[in-house]
Amino acid sequence: MPIDLELPESERAAIARDPAVFIEDMHRYLGDSPDIVYRQLRVGHFRSVVVFVEGMAEPRHVIEAMMESEGPLSDREEEGAPADQLKFLEERIIPFGQVAEVSSYPDAAARLLAGDTIIYVEGAPLTLSVGTRHLKQRVVEEATSQSVVRGPREGFNESLRDNTALVRRRIQNPRLRMEQRKIGEQTQTDVAVMYMEGIADPEVLEELRKKLDEIKLDSVLEGNYIEEMIQDPQYSPFPTVYNSERPDVIASALLEGRIAIFVEGTPFVLVVPALFAQFFQSSEDYYQRGDFASLVRLLRYLCFGIAILTPSVYIAITTFHQEMIPTNLLMSLIGQREGVPFPSFIEAVIMEITFEVLREAGIRLPKSIGQSVSIVGTLVIGQAAVEAGLVSAAMVIVVSVTAIANFALPAFNVGISVRMLRFFLMGTAASFGLYGIIIFMIVLGLHLCSLESLGVPYMTSMAPFRWSAQKDTLMRLPRRAAKKFFERDGQS
């Protein structure tokens, strides 16, 4: 989508034949920006203009090649036509692979602002766009949000081309396909869709193309802009689009038939369709033994249950169902709560909000002091609250266990969903006890079963339950065992 140029329609039709008019027209749209450089040269017997954005392009080799070719270009005077000189530059002189002819001001401006160098030759109806993008960017480093003990250490950066190259290095297959488009009326952000032809579902791919083409946004600065526009349920607390900053995770997803969405300017790559079980899987599961990986994965599901249920179950039992507590434990809890002025629900809300504030503060503070402030703040505030009689020691333990279980979830966005649902579940437990918790979980299960990710059921492999899908869902069977398991299930 070319940028709309504020020029009369008559001036949009073709590039001006005079260098002064060409520069004036570019100034009229781009303004007198000091970072846009207009370098006037002489190509043979014709005047030329090299235009580039300082800091985004590296046109030195282009200018050197044009200056060194002055002799050969001068020898072509007899041909005389500026278009011939431009063609000769494109085919024989410019030492770059990405060279394209541009015939209008909007296209020239769009390519210029993307980091290309524009070459104009006096009298020619076209300009050349040379791929000289040279943006300052972060080098390939270890992924910070999905760390592993064993496995590759490479992580994506903010360059779309670097990210696609990291995936192509892992999948050297001619069936790996990539489509690219620009999204964002003002930002013109590059968005690439990558998939394996013959493995990815054509219907899912077509649905994704349709959703991307329907996006109408002024700007796209991060992948979440795209994620919010393509996810099916707009108001569900659970994410239906997966994201990762690890090339091995994206490569594995592509080989499973999923589709990856790369966005310029962010190290996080989106993956669709996303399933509920996918958010409990880690890339390290496939770099460890199957039995250990299965144990850790079951532990993650247990942590999910602890993180979402522990505070509400404690509230329900201590408020409505004290008979379920062993006598010795009940007497201990009564002794701890003696002098506490708030009911269990208010205690839990106070501690949960305090912990969320400390967690957020730890993230926003500089790294050198953020972790220390978060740990010290939690210990000091928790101890002071107990000694002051505002909360009981048991409530501090419950909130701490809940927070630790939340951190054990490998997908950060699922952790956010759990944190939100926990408050609603606490309110339900305070109002209706264990009956309210059971009803809430039934409704939550029905909601999960109703979700889809680009037409694919969210709970696939869990509901309806299929044995053939269990080799890599709740557990990760060893590879040989998984193959035999699949063949035996298929025969039955």
Side-chain angles (χ1 to χ4, degrees):
M1 183 188 302
I3 299 175
D4 188 19
L5 187 61
E6 296 178 359
L7 290 173
E9 191 66 33
S10 59
E11 295 185 21
R12 295 190 193 186
I15 300 294
R17 301 301 181 96
D18 184 82
V21 178
F22 170 78
I23 294 176
E24 181 182 351
D25 288 343
M26 295 296 286
H27 272 293
R28 191 179 307 175
Y29 175 60
L30 298 171
D32 296 326
S33 302
D35 61 335
I36 300 179
V37 181
Y38 299 85
R39 178 73 167 89
Q40 299 191 50
L41 304 171
R42 181 169 291 277
V43 179
H45 294 278
F46 296 92
R47 291 180 295 168
S48 65
V49 181
V50 177
V51 190
F52 62 93
V53 179
E54 191 174 11
M56 295 184 65
E58 183 52 67
R60 179 169 57 89
H61 298 294
V62 175
I63 296 176
E64 289 177 354
M66 293 175 64
M67 297 298 291
E68 292 172 358
S69 63
E70 183 177 353
L73 288 169
S74 299
D75 295 339
R76 296 176 53 81
E77 180 184 3
E78 64 276 3
E79 298 186 12
D84 293 337
Q85 301 285 58
L86 200 66
K87 198 70 175 177
F88 187 75
L89 274 174
E90 178 182 357
E91 296 177 352
R92 306 289 291 275
I93 304 300
I94 303 299
F96 287 86
Q98 296 180 349
V99 182
E101 296 181 350
V102 179
S103 60
S104 65
Y105 286 108
D107 289 339
R111 291 176 180 269
L112 176 69
L113 296 175
D116 289 355
T117 296
I118 302 298
I119 301 177
Y120 166 85
V121 174
E122 177 184 9
L126 304 170
T127 65
L128 290 182
S129 172
V130 184
T132 59
R133 303 182 185 186
H134 183 71
L135 301 175
K136 300 295 183 181
Q137 59 195 24
R138 187 167 55 92
V139 299
V140 176
E141 299 174 341
E142 183 177 355
T144 57
S145 65
Q146 297 174 322
S147 59
V148 296
V149 176
R150 179 178 178 179
R153 291 294 187 265
E154 290 179 330
F156 291 127
N157 61 16
E158 286 72 21
S159 171
L160 185 146
R161 279 292 168 262
D162 286 353
N163 296 343
T164 56
L166 287 172
V167 176
R168 281 196 178 277
R169 194 176 71 179
R170 286 167 170 77
I171 306 178
Q172 300 178 19
N173 192 310
R175 292 193 297 172
L176 182 61
R177 299 285 189 264
M178 188 174 72
E179 304 172 0
Q180 190 164 325
R181 50 176 51 81
K182 290 184 179 293
I183 301 179
E185 297 288 341
Q186 305 298 329
T187 59
Q188 294 290 293
T189 305
D190 289 322
V191 176
V193 174
M194 185 177 285
Y195 61 95
M196 292 292 295
E197 187 177 34
I199 300 179
D201 190 338
E203 295 183 1
V204 175
L205 182 60
E206 189 59 34
E207 179 68 17
L208 176 61
R209 289 174 181 151
K210 180 181 176 182
K211 286 181 176 293
L212 291 176
D213 292 337
E214 291 176 350
I215 294 177
K216 302 297 180 183
L217 293 173
D218 287 337
S219 63
V220 175
L221 303 177
E222 210 275 335
N224 186 65
Y225 288 65
I226 304 295
E227 180 178 346
E228 289 190 14
M229 299 300 293
I230 65 175
Q231 62 184 3
D232 291 325
Q234 296 293 328
Y235 302 105
S236 173
F238 290 95
T240 55
V241 178
Y242 187 75
N243 69 77
S244 176
E245 60 173 336
R246 296 183 57 88
D248 56 326
V249 173
I250 301 302
S252 175
L254 291 172
L255 295 173
E256 292 174 355
R258 294 183 171 90
I259 305 168
I261 305 171
F262 298 78
V263 181
E264 180 71 42
T266 176
F268 291 91
V269 177
L270 308 179
V271 177
V272 290
L275 307 180
F276 180 74
Q278 185 178 356
F279 293 95
F280 294 87
Q281 299 172 357
S282 171
S283 60
E284 195 173 9
D285 294 349
Y286 306 94
Y287 308 142
Q288 301 282 2
R289 289 176 39 175
D291 51 358
F292 178 75
S294 299
L295 176 64
V296 173
R297 187 173 294 180
L298 290 173
L299 184 63
R300 295 191 194 115
Y301 284 100
L302 176 62
C303 289
F304 176 79
I306 292 174
I308 196 172
L309 287 173
T310 302
S312 56
V313 170
Y314 177 82
I315 293 170
I317 291 178
T318 56
T319 305
F320 295 102
H321 311 285
Q322 294 90 347
E323 66 278 3
M324 298 180 63
I325 306 175
T327 304
N328 292 337
L329 179 58
L330 179 61
M331 297 301 295
S332 175
L333 292 177
I334 292 174
Q336 293 177 24
R337 288 192 48 80
E338 185 178 0
V340 176
F342 305 113
S344 299
F345 172 68
I346 302 299
E347 273 189 281
V349 170
I350 291 175
M351 291 304 298
E352 286 288 347
I353 293 178
T354 302
F355 189 84
E356 293 295 333
V357 171
L358 289 171
R359 174 160 41 189
E360 191 69 16
I363 294 174
R364 305 305 165 200
L365 285 171
K367 290 183 179 180
S368 57
I369 61 174
Q371 186 174 5
S372 301
V373 170
S374 179
I375 295 174
V376 173
T378 304
L379 293 174
V380 172
I381 292 177
Q383 183 67 24
V386 173
E387 292 181 356
L390 296 178
V391 297
S392 63
M395 181 58 72
V396 174
I397 295 174
V398 167
V399 173
S400 301
V401 170
T402 302
I404 294 172
N406 207 128
F407 288 138
L409 301 178
F412 180 74
N413 44 3
V414 167
I416 295 176
S417 303
V418 171
R419 287 156 62 183
M420 291 190 300
L421 290 172
R422 191 158 58 229
F423 284 95
F424 291 102
L425 197 53
M426 285 162 52
T428 304
S431 302
F432 307 103
L434 290 177
Y435 301 104
I437 294 177
I438 294 173
I439 294 174
F440 188 97
M441 296 304 295
I442 292 174
V443 172
L444 188 62
L446 293 174
H447 173 71
L448 286 170
C449 292
S450 68
L451 295 180
E452 292 184 349
S453 179
L454 264 69
V456 178
Y458 194 56
M459 298 299 289
T460 297
S461 76
M462 288 187 173
F465 185 85
R466 291 183 295 112
W467 279 110
S468 60
Q470 301 311 307
K471 60 183 183 295
D472 192 23
T473 303
L474 295 177
M475 296 185 295
R476 206 278 286 177
L477 297 181
R479 288 175 175 82
R480 291 184 179 179
K483 183 178 179 180
K484 295 178 181 179
F485 178 84
F486 178 77
E487 293 173 350
R488 183 173 65 251
D489 185 76
Q491 294 174 356
S492 61

